[in-house]
Amino acid sequence: MSETYEHKPEVWTAGRLREALKDVPDDAPIHMGIAEDTGDFDGYREGVLVDAHHVENWWPATSTSPERTETETALTLFADWKPGLYDRLE
């Protein structure tokens, strides 16, 4: 049986992000470092923020309730590779 551990990153809130961005100019790009493994930022992959959407939860219809969707206050931030020239993968 493989050994496991519980990963508990400190998840930022909107307030903490606002505080971090307070002195950043409006036209400054946002770069993101994505850990290659849980908590490992030594070999992180760099990306850029390209979008954000409110988290939506969806439940299918059942025999007793209709389909429904709820929008949370949480956001999902989407990152893509940095702008540049890349080899096309076939």
Side-chain angles (χ1 to χ4, degrees):
M1 180 180 242
S2 64
E3 191 175 321
T4 63
Y5 66 96
E6 187 173 357
H7 179 58
K8 294 182 180 182
E10 184 180 333
V11 179
W12 279 34
T13 62
R16 187 167 176 190
L17 181 58
R18 272 189 212 95
E19 178 64 23
L21 292 172
K22 71 180 180 185
D23 296 322
V24 176
D26 288 344
D27 60 347
I30 304 294
H31 290 248
M32 300 174 71
I34 315 298
E36 288 293 324
D37 198 3
T38 54
D40 178 12
F41 290 97
D42 289 335
Y44 71 89
R45 179 193 218 142
E46 191 173 1
V48 292
L49 181 63
V50 294
D51 206 352
H53 291 279
H54 282 277
V55 175
E56 285 192 349
N57 294 312
W58 175 82
W59 292 269
T62 66
S63 60
T64 58
S65 63
E67 174 183 310
R68 67 187 176 103
T69 302
E70 286 181 7
T71 301
E72 295 184 20
T73 56
L75 283 175
T76 298
L77 302 177
F78 293 91
D80 199 350
W81 289 22
K82 294 180 351 180
L85 186 62
Y86 296 96
D87 291 334
R88 183 177 305 276
L89 300 175
E90 299 292 330

